Amino acid sequence: MKYQPLSASLYQKNRQKLAEKLGKNSVAIFNSNDILPTNADGTMKFRQNNDLFYLCGIDQEETILLLAPDCPNPKFREVLFLRETNEHIAIWEGHKYTKEEAKLTSGIDNIQWLDAFDQIFNTVMALSQRVYLNTNEHLRAGVVVQTRDARFIQSCRERYPLHQYDRVAPIMHELRGVKEQEEIDQLQIACDITEKGFRRILKFVKPGVTEYEIEAEYLHEFVRNRSKGFAYEPIIASGSAACVLHYIENKKACQDGELLLMDVGAEYGNYNADMTRTIPVNGKFTDRQKAVYNAVLRVQREAMKILLPGTNIQDYHREVGLIMQAELVGLGLIDRTDIKNQDPEWPAYKKYFMHGTSHHLGLDVHDVGTMYGPITPGMVFTVEPGIYIQEEGLGVRLENNIVIQSNGYFDLMRNIPIEADEIEDLMN
């Protein structure tokens, strides 16, 4: 791997937390992701299943993790199954985990090749009453292909119809939503790499450069710092394109007098940064641009202050909406009549700020975690208000990543320039 792996002690701790949540005499199974095809004999780049990675740290295809904390045979309480390598695989695909390497990475003693799975699983099932199976239950997931987990669920229920089956996803959401310090450290590295990319861009951007050239500059800086690259498809949106929330074409030339909105983040060790900055292409904000920019910055800072333990994320979003409403009135974009006559289901401010302010961040960019329960220390959130004025061809979004603490928050992007004056100074 390019990245420095975390200690096996983290994965041992994560498995122990899961074991404490499982029912008595149960077994939980986690499968790696598939390698997905493109065309002909092409494949997409492999990305490990985040639940499996969270529990064992193994970053390799065709991996299965079996956990049966109450199994009367201690050697079957944790079993990791790997694809057995050979000389042919080594020549064509490169090195794969040995059993000893997998043991050191995961902290699991019993490492087996995949061909041993059926026999061991059959034994463990005979000694278990409940089976926890995994699925992607993210609130915004749109799963249209049959995953390895889905195929396993089907075969398992056919083979063992009399067991009690349970969903493990809600437990994983609860656990992964609160980060251990080792995970926060990885997120900090991803944010630090993102900072290096942004500072590089501040020296590069000028009228006439293209959005795709800017994208290339980010990628160069990310990869040279041991990142796989972008944590998600980057948004490099100049001028009116900034008003398209998921603009990823990145094809235009940046024009003098425009603003450039960049929603980018580096990945590091499968953990993800998620930053947005908006800068003037020519290095100088106009008065109107600066007024909108500073309004967004004020909303972001107020939002960070109220993202506190015990807060409900839905109530938080409503409160941020009221802060934004006041800023939009100050900018002359809405007035008191608009507010008086607004649809409560779609308040007047949403004409110019139509998305949510925060989401969980971690192994997924839109990470799993509660969106209705109370916020707790150790959760990591984005804070990303924006104002999009289509009639002016002007869009501003600012986004930082913060760790919730018992008495406030810690900003993982505290060192990334954000003040308008600082942006101008660095660009000039």
Side-chain angles (χ1 to χ4, degrees):
M1 307 304 168
K2 294 177 184 176
Y3 60 88
Q4 292 292 333
L6 293 172
S7 169
S9 61
L10 170 67
Y11 306 116
Q12 291 170 323
K13 184 164 36 179
N14 290 346
R15 292 194 297 275
Q16 181 59 38
K17 288 190 293 186
L18 174 60
E20 292 170 0
K21 297 282 186 180
L22 298 179
K24 191 173 181 180
N25 296 326
S26 63
V27 55
I29 303 295
F30 297 86
N31 289 280
S32 62
N33 282 337
D34 285 318
I35 297 179
L36 298 175
T38 54
N39 296 288
D41 61 348
T43 60
M44 295 183 183
K45 184 182 294 185
F46 175 70
R47 179 63 163 83
Q48 185 57 285
N49 179 280
N50 285 330
D51 290 321
L52 185 143
F53 185 83
Y54 174 84
L55 293 168
C56 68
I58 297 297
D59 206 351
Q60 184 172 291
E61 72 282 3
E62 296 185 51
T63 302
I64 302 175
L65 175 64
L66 181 153
L67 300 175
D70 300 326
C71 187
N73 188 335
K75 71 178 184 179
F76 293 149
R77 291 174 186 169
E78 294 185 340
V79 190
L80 184 65
F81 299 88
L82 300 173
R83 176 189 185 190
E84 184 176 7
T85 191
N86 54 43
E87 185 177 353
H88 175 80
I89 291 172
I91 290 172
W92 284 90
E93 300 181 29
H95 180 76
K96 303 294 180 182
Y97 283 101
T98 66
K99 289 185 176 182
E100 185 58 32
E101 288 168 343
K103 179 178 178 179
L104 290 173
T105 297
S106 66
I108 295 172
D109 289 328
N110 191 357
I111 311 293
Q112 300 286 335
W113 300 129
L114 275 174
D115 59 10
F117 175 77
D118 284 344
Q119 181 179 349
I120 292 174
F121 185 54
N122 190 61
T123 299
V124 173
M125 287 291 279
L127 300 170
S128 302
Q129 295 176 342
R130 301 175 69 177
V131 188
Y132 287 86
L133 299 177
N134 200 25
T135 51
N136 180 359
E137 297 186 21
H138 192 284
L139 292 177
R140 294 168 60 178
V143 182
V144 295
V145 296
Q146 188 179 48
T147 64
R148 188 174 290 261
D149 276 330
R151 296 194 299 274
F152 182 79
I153 290 169
Q154 183 178 345
S155 65
C156 187
R157 293 178 74 98
E158 288 174 355
R159 187 174 175 185
Y160 304 99
L162 300 182
H163 280 72
Q164 177 182 339
Y165 287 90
D166 289 287
R167 299 153 54 219
V168 77
I171 301 174
M172 294 303 300
H173 288 200
E174 179 184 352
L175 297 180
R176 283 178 49 194
V178 180
K179 272 60 178 179
E180 296 288 344
Q181 185 58 50
E182 297 95 324
E183 297 180 277
I184 294 171
D185 292 343
Q186 291 292 79
L187 287 167
Q188 183 65 76
I189 294 173
C191 290
D192 291 345
I193 295 171
T194 304
E195 177 188 353
K196 291 178 180 179
F198 180 59
R199 289 185 181 275
R200 179 186 182 109
I201 290 303
L202 290 176
K203 299 176 183 179
F204 177 77
V205 169
K206 61 183 178 180
V209 301
T210 60
E211 294 164 348
Y212 54 83
E213 288 177 297
I214 297 168
E215 180 179 348
E217 292 292 316
Y218 272 113
L219 183 60
H220 180 100
E221 195 65 30
F222 289 177
V223 174
R224 73 191 292 263
N225 282 283
R226 307 184 77 163
S227 167
K228 293 177 186 174
F230 292 106
Y232 50 92
E233 283 295 313
I235 298 169
I236 314 290
S238 60
S240 60
C243 296
V244 180
L245 297 183
H246 289 163
Y247 172 84
I248 57 173
E249 294 181 15
N250 304 345
K251 65 181 183 181
K252 301 193 294 92
C254 301
Q255 303 299 322
D256 192 2
E258 290 182 332
L259 290 184
L260 172 66
L261 186 155
M262 300 171 291
D263 190 334
V264 301
E267 170 278 347
Y268 184 80
N270 291 346
Y271 287 85
N272 302 288
D274 189 357
M275 177 199 76
T276 307
R277 290 293 186 270
T278 306
I279 65 174
V281 170
N282 63 12
K284 182 71 176 177
F285 291 98
T286 66
D287 290 344
R288 175 61 168 175
Q289 289 169 347
K290 186 172 285 190
V292 175
Y293 186 97
N294 285 332
V296 175
L297 184 56
R298 286 192 294 270
V299 174
Q300 187 197 53
R301 287 177 170 160
E302 289 302 309
M304 288 178 177
K305 293 177 185 177
I306 61 176
L307 198 55
L308 296 169
T311 302
N312 178 288
I313 196 72
Q314 304 303 321
D315 293 338
Y316 158 79
H317 278 138
R318 283 188 286 271
E319 191 169 348
V320 173
L322 295 176
I323 298 170
M324 178 61 79
Q325 175 180 280
E327 291 291 349
L328 294 176
V329 170
L331 291 168
L333 293 170
I334 61 175
D335 57 29
R336 295 299 171 188
T337 302
D338 296 322
I339 296 169
K340 180 181 178 181
N341 296 330
Q342 68 187 0
D343 179 355
E345 296 299 316
W346 191 257
Y349 75 81
K350 283 189 174 290
K351 178 180 179 181
Y352 298 101
F353 175 43
M354 61 292 294
H355 59 77
T357 310
S358 296
H359 59 75
H360 288 273
L361 183 71
L363 284 168
D364 284 301
V365 176
H366 292 165
D367 207 13
V368 295
T370 178
M371 291 303 291
Y372 291 93
I375 295 166
T376 61
M379 290 182 173
V380 179
F381 286 99
T382 65
V383 184
E384 50 179 309
I387 295 176
Y388 313 93
I389 314 172
Q390 293 188 20
E391 57 269 30
E392 298 180 29
L394 171 64
V396 176
R397 181 165 67 251
L398 298 171
E399 178 179 18
N400 282 31
N401 307 155
I402 66 171
V403 183
I404 305 302
Q405 298 180 324
S406 58
N407 58 349
Y409 65 89
F410 180 76
D411 189 351
L412 294 169
M413 293 184 166
R414 62 202 176 279
N415 296 323
I416 302 180
I418 196 168
E419 290 283 354
D421 291 343
E422 184 181 8
I423 297 294
E424 290 181 335
D425 287 345
L426 289 169
M427 292 187 74
N428 292 283

